[in-house]
């Protein structure tokens, strides 16, 4: 950057851990919280066993797995890039199917992926990364996808936006769909900063503009991730209206729409999706501000006692008396500030929209379009 800073190193010598204000409350709540995480099928079994890529087969079955740049909702190579296949491959080669990305994690959704010789290739990538280089690009070679994840980590590219950019280059005819080696070459071009690489490396929105494409899956300049908003409409509302571009994590309506977590709703229907997205965006803003990993949400949405335990952990740590209502108020306050920041930066209601093709083009296999109106989208942040 302009200051020439390469790294900031903190020396922990002479410091000590922060002590909870109410140690007894903190310890008891922490135990209840950890036990709650263990007892939920997603945080206790699905995520530790398969990682987030457990979603690949689920989204394919739901017809919401964006394939060949959002042209269809199912990918014939889904099984080759699924969480089940990845976990089996890691085990067979002597990698590590589950580990925590920090030592305090009680879920441990991550893993270590090794190559055919048993050498480290990359961490087990997230579902969205496997999707962006996989189904989105028509690629079903898992080793090649994991290599792309590693290269992008090394070069410093975002693995969702870069994968989507590569798929757009395929749509534009720069390289063919399904060509893993050509995709790898594009990443190296971007890393080296060649003329073509500078376009690809500038991200999906820029690739779409440079090649004059109409089907460009971005909101506020950020690429959509691995859930087609025509088949998972709640997350489509989140993509359109979250303050930070098409971010699924900002209001993960996939949970109630597809997984039946935190209630069950029809992913193909418009009804109720605004409210679902609104509540999730508020809760997520609050959760993100605490430093808890977002994946605890799978559990706390289903188990009120674990949600309460999480609040008690915070209360015990800081000597507070927050209630569930206070947490939601915290989330609203954060979102109001973020939206005010956006407004001053020139992002008004017109930026809270999905690209037009989602309402024009029907998505197979369900033949659905994104049919939530602009007026309804403008209601999301009314609270
Ligand atoms: S902290 Fe979150 S992302 Fe990291 S391993 Fe644990 S559950 Fe996964």
């Amino acid at each position: 950057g302009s200051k020439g800073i390469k790294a900031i190193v903190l020396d922990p010598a002479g410091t000590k851990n922060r002590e909870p204000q109410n140690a007894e409350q903190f310890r008891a709540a922490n135990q209840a919280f950890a036990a709650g995480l263990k007892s939920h099928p997603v945080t206790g079994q699905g995520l530790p066993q398969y990682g987030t890529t457990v979603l690949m087969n689920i989204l394919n079955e739901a017809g919401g797995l964006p394939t060949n740049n959002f042209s269809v909702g199912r990918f014939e190579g889904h099984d080759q890039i699924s969480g089940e296949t990845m976990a089996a491959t890691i085990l067979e080669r002597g990698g590590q199917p589950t580990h925590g990305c920090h030592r305090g994690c009680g879920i441990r959704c991550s893993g270590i992926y090794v190559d055919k010789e048993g050498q480290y290739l990359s961490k087990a990538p997230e579902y969205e990364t496997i999707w962006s280089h996989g189904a989105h690009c028509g690629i079903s070679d898992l080793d090649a996808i994991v290599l792309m994840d590693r290269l992008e980590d090394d070069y410093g590219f975002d693995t969702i936006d870069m994968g989507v950019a590569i798929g757009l280059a395929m749509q534009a005819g720069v390289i063919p769909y399904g060509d893993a080696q050509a995709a790898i070459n594009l990443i190296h071009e971007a890393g080296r900063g060649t003329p073509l690489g500078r376009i690809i490396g500038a991200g999906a929105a820029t690739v779409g503009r440079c090649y004059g494409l109409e089907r460009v899956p971005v909101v506020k300049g950020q690429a959509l991730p691995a859930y087609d908003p025509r088949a998972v409409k709640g997350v489509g509302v989140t993509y359109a209206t979250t303050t930070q571009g098409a971010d699924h994590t900002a209001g993960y309506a996939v949970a109630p729409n597809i997984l039946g977590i935190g209630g069950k709703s029809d992913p193909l229907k418009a009804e109720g999706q605004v409210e679902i997205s609104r509540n999730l965006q508020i809760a997520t803003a609050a959760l993100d501000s605490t430093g808890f990993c977002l994946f605890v949400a799978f559990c706390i949405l289903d188990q009120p006692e674990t949600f309460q335990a999480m609040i008690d952990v915070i209360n015990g740590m800081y000597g507070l008396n927050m209630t569930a209502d206070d947490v939601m108020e915290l989330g609203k306050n954060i979102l109001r500030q973020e939206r005010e920041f956006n407004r001053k930066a020139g992002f008004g209601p017109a930026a809270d929209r999905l690209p037009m093709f989602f309402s024009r083009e029907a998505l197979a296999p369900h033949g659905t379009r994104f049919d939530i109106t602009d007026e309804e989208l403008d209601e999301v942040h009314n609270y």
Side-chain angles (χ1 to χ4, degrees), residues 168-316:
L168 286 172
M170 292 172 167
Q171 165 96 54
V174 178
I175 60 171
Y177 276 115
D179 190 335
Q181 189 53 56
I184 290 168
N185 294 346
L186 276 190
I187 296 168
H188 284 303
E189 291 226 28
R192 287 199 302 268
T194 65
L196 171 60
R198 292 168 79 88
I199 294 174
I200 306 295
T206 299
V207 173
R209 273 195 300 273
C210 288
Y211 290 100
L213 301 176
E214 187 165 339
R215 196 189 297 131
V216 183
V218 301
V219 174
K220 300 181 181 81
Q222 178 165 287
L224 264 68
Y227 316 85
D228 198 299
R230 291 163 290 188
V232 194
K233 291 186 178 172
V235 84
V237 175
T238 298
Y239 291 155
T241 59
T242 176
T243 50
Q244 52 214 18
D247 176 5
H248 57 298
T249 70
Y252 194 68
V254 180
N257 278 190
I258 301 291
L259 304 174
I261 289 174
K264 180 78 187 107
S265 49
D266 187 338
L268 303 176
K269 294 245 162 64
E271 288 75 40
Q273 304 293 2
V274 163
E275 194 183 354
I276 287 171
S277 175
R278 177 193 297 128
N279 289 336
L280 286 169
Q281 288 193 54
I282 292 168
T284 305
L287 181 59
D288 281 349
S289 76
T290 65
F292 280 107
C293 172
L294 181 61
F295 293 162
V296 306
F298 289 114
C299 171
I300 62 175
L301 283 170
D302 265 350
Q303 298 176 185
E305 68 284 3
T306 313
F307 181 39
Q308 185 58 50
M310 191 192 84
I311 298 171
D312 291 341
V313 168
I314 299 169
N315 285 340

Side-chain angles (χ1 to χ4, degrees), residues 99-102 105 107-110 293 295:
H99 85 151
C101 68
H102 68 90
C105 177
I107 302 175
R108 298 165 61 87
C109 78
S110 192
C293 172
F295 293 162

Side-chain angles (χ1 to χ4, degrees), residues 11-341:
D11 179 1
T15 62
K16 53 180 184 170
N17 274 342
R18 289 169 304 159
E19 293 300 323
Q21 299 288 316
N22 184 336
E24 209 172 303
Q25 181 191 25
F26 178 80
R27 248 193 310 277
N30 210 10
Q31 277 172 4
F33 182 60
L37 292 178
K38 283 263 174 294
S39 69
H40 191 276
V42 172
T43 49
Q45 294 161 33
L47 285 175
Q49 207 171 345
Y50 300 119
T52 52
T53 312
V54 70
L55 289 162
M56 193 68 70
N57 286 338
I58 295 172
L59 264 294
N60 188 71
E61 185 60 27
L65 182 66
T67 299
N68 291 2
N69 189 26
F70 291 79
S71 57
V72 58
R74 283 195 177 136
F75 178 45
E76 62 178 19
H78 66 93
D79 204 30
Q80 289 153 267
I81 59 171
S82 67
E84 292 84 339
T85 298
M86 184 160 74
T89 306
I90 290 174
L91 270 177
E92 187 190 309
R93 294 178 179 176
Q96 227 179 312
T98 178
H99 85 151
C101 68
H102 68 90
R103 70 178 181 171
C105 177
I107 302 175
R108 298 165 61 87
C109 78
S110 192
I112 301 293
Y113 192 99
V114 294
D115 63 16
K116 291 191 176 93
E117 280 72 49
Q119 298 301 310
Y120 175 84
L121 190 55
S122 191
K123 88 284 186 190
E126 299 288 352
Y127 161 63
E128 288 77 12
T129 301
I130 303 272
W131 159 80
S132 67
H133 300 82
H136 173 67
C137 292
I139 293 173
S140 53
D141 179 342
L142 191 56
D143 283 348
I145 293 169
V146 176
L147 173 62
M148 288 191 262
D149 172 72
R150 165 73 180 273
L151 291 174
E152 289 167 14
D153 282 354
D154 287 352
Y155 282 126
F157 295 124
D158 178 272
T159 59
I160 294 178
D161 212 294
M162 190 61 170
V164 174
I166 293 169
L168 286 172
M170 292 172 167
Q171 165 96 54
V174 178
I175 60 171
Y177 276 115
D179 190 335
Q181 189 53 56
I184 290 168
N185 294 346
L186 276 190
I187 296 168
H188 284 303
E189 291 226 28
R192 287 199 302 268
T194 65
L196 171 60
R198 292 168 79 88
I199 294 174
I200 306 295
T206 299
V207 173
R209 273 195 300 273
C210 288
Y211 290 100
L213 301 176
E214 187 165 339
R215 196 189 297 131
V216 183
V218 301
V219 174
K220 300 181 181 81
Q222 178 165 287
L224 264 68
Y227 316 85
D228 198 299
R230 291 163 290 188
V232 194
K233 291 186 178 172
V235 84
V237 175
T238 298
Y239 291 155
T241 59
T242 176
T243 50
Q244 52 214 18
D247 176 5
H248 57 298
T249 70
Y252 194 68
V254 180
N257 278 190
I258 301 291
L259 304 174
I261 289 174
K264 180 78 187 107
S265 49
D266 187 338
L268 303 176
K269 294 245 162 64
E271 288 75 40
Q273 304 293 2
V274 163
E275 194 183 354
I276 287 171
S277 175
R278 177 193 297 128
N279 289 336
L280 286 169
Q281 288 193 54
I282 292 168
T284 305
L287 181 59
D288 281 349
S289 76
T290 65
F292 280 107
C293 172
L294 181 61
F295 293 162
V296 306
F298 289 114
C299 171
I300 62 175
L301 283 170
D302 265 350
Q303 298 176 185
E305 68 284 3
T306 313
F307 181 39
Q308 185 58 50
M310 191 192 84
I311 298 171
D312 291 341
V313 168
I314 299 169
N315 285 340
M317 184 72 203
Y318 296 107
L320 300 171
N321 282 307
M322 276 204 307
T323 63
D325 285 346
D326 293 333
V327 171
M328 293 303 273
E329 211 38 60
L330 171 68
K332 288 177 191 172
N333 193 21
I334 292 165
L335 289 178
R336 284 188 195 109
Q337 290 183 47
E338 288 182 357
R339 284 180 62 77
E340 181 58 11
F341 178 93

